[in-house]
Amino acid sequence: MPDSSFLDATRGSYDVLASSYLDRLDPDLDLPPLSQALHRTFAELVKAQGGGPVADVGCGPGWVTDILHGLGLDVFGIDLSPGMVAEARRTYPGLRFEVGSMLSLDLEDATLGGLLASYSIIHIPRDRLPEVFAEFHRVLAPGGQLMLTFQVGDESLHFDEAWGKSVSLDFYRQQPSDVVGLLREAGFEVTAEIVRHPEPTEKSPHGCVMARKPLPGGPGEAA
């Protein structure tokens, strides 16, 4: 059976950080104009395909979930950390948030119109990404839209301390071409691959890959 101890470490670390996370985050600074435009594009693609529920997977304290809600999506958040979900529910009481793992989503097959994973696949070991993308493919309805964002690079990083607190967090930067290849293997039709240069306060470029689950008989799926 694959080792899933990283899930416990990630969950525990974000539980420790949850109460101070939003205090450290300025949404106006942490979502540059190009990223705002990409979120608007994602929202319009979901609507154009007929809408439906949208999952913000790895939602953290819920601020991106709230952004998608403001863009007119029927969105809810899912996060591995109960502490983060508690903070999200406290901060955005009008939205729905659930505890869950992207490796095993508690969702029926083909029920989502869209799925966003904003800087959340960065904690998944690279050899487990095919499982994650297969799960994303399972829960999206035909035509459902997928948007992934991540830091670009080849390195893996480990932190035992963050904001003066003890944690055990692994970060895996990704190459967009690798993500694209894995999504295609999972049955997705890739529609966009974008690299944003770092802002002055950032250490690495940022990637965004958009894809959709093909319609029956459409490109990427056998007729």
Side-chain angles (χ1 to χ4, degrees):
M1 179 176 293
D3 180 17
S4 295
S5 59
F6 71 93
L7 292 174
D8 294 331
T10 304
R11 181 187 300 109
S13 297
Y14 277 108
D15 280 346
V16 167
L17 299 173
S19 62
S20 56
Y21 201 92
L22 276 175
D23 294 337
R24 298 268 182 170
L25 192 66
D26 183 343
D28 292 331
L29 292 178
D30 286 359
L31 199 59
L34 179 57
S35 297
Q36 295 178 36
L38 291 171
H39 283 79
R40 287 195 298 269
T41 299
F42 172 71
E44 291 305 314
L45 288 169
V46 172
K47 294 174 190 175
Q49 198 58 52
V54 173
D56 177 11
V57 178
C59 64
W63 69 284
V64 175
T65 318
D66 184 58
I67 289 172
L68 296 180
H69 173 71
L71 292 171
L73 296 181
D74 175 18
V75 63
F76 63 99
I78 300 172
D79 199 88
L80 183 65
S81 161
M84 283 292 190
V85 168
E87 286 298 310
R89 289 171 175 168
R90 179 184 63 81
T91 308
Y92 306 104
L95 299 178
R96 178 163 64 99
F97 297 95
E98 302 173 355
V99 177
S101 167
M102 66 177 68
L103 282 160
S104 181
L105 294 167
D106 187 18
L107 297 169
E108 297 292 329
D109 294 356
T111 53
L112 296 181
L115 190 153
L116 170 72
S118 178
Y119 299 96
S120 53
I121 66 168
I122 63 173
H123 298 301
I124 303 294
R126 293 186 180 95
D127 63 348
R128 303 296 297 275
L129 284 177
E131 297 173 58
V132 171
F133 295 162
E135 187 69 349
F136 290 174
H137 189 275
R138 179 186 70 80
V139 299
L140 280 165
Q145 301 292 323
L146 176 68
M147 177 173 165
L148 308 174
T149 58
F150 47 88
Q151 292 93 349
V152 174
D154 297 304
E155 61 269 43
S156 302
L157 307 171
H158 178 80
F159 292 91
D160 292 312
E161 184 273 337
W163 305 338
K165 299 180 180 181
S166 295
V167 299
S168 180
L169 276 175
D170 291 309
F171 293 79
Y172 302 92
R173 291 179 176 166
Q174 313 288 339
Q175 289 295 340
S177 58
D178 294 338
V179 173
V180 166
L182 291 173
L183 288 174
R184 286 176 173 154
E185 289 176 9
F188 283 99
E189 175 188 344
V190 175
T191 55
E193 177 185 349
I194 298 163
V195 174
R196 174 175 66 76
H197 285 224
E199 296 287 314
T201 57
E202 296 172 335
K203 297 180 180 180
S204 65
H206 290 242
C208 174
V209 175
M210 291 185 175
R212 72 167 190 163
K213 183 174 180 177
L215 295 166
E221 182 169 304

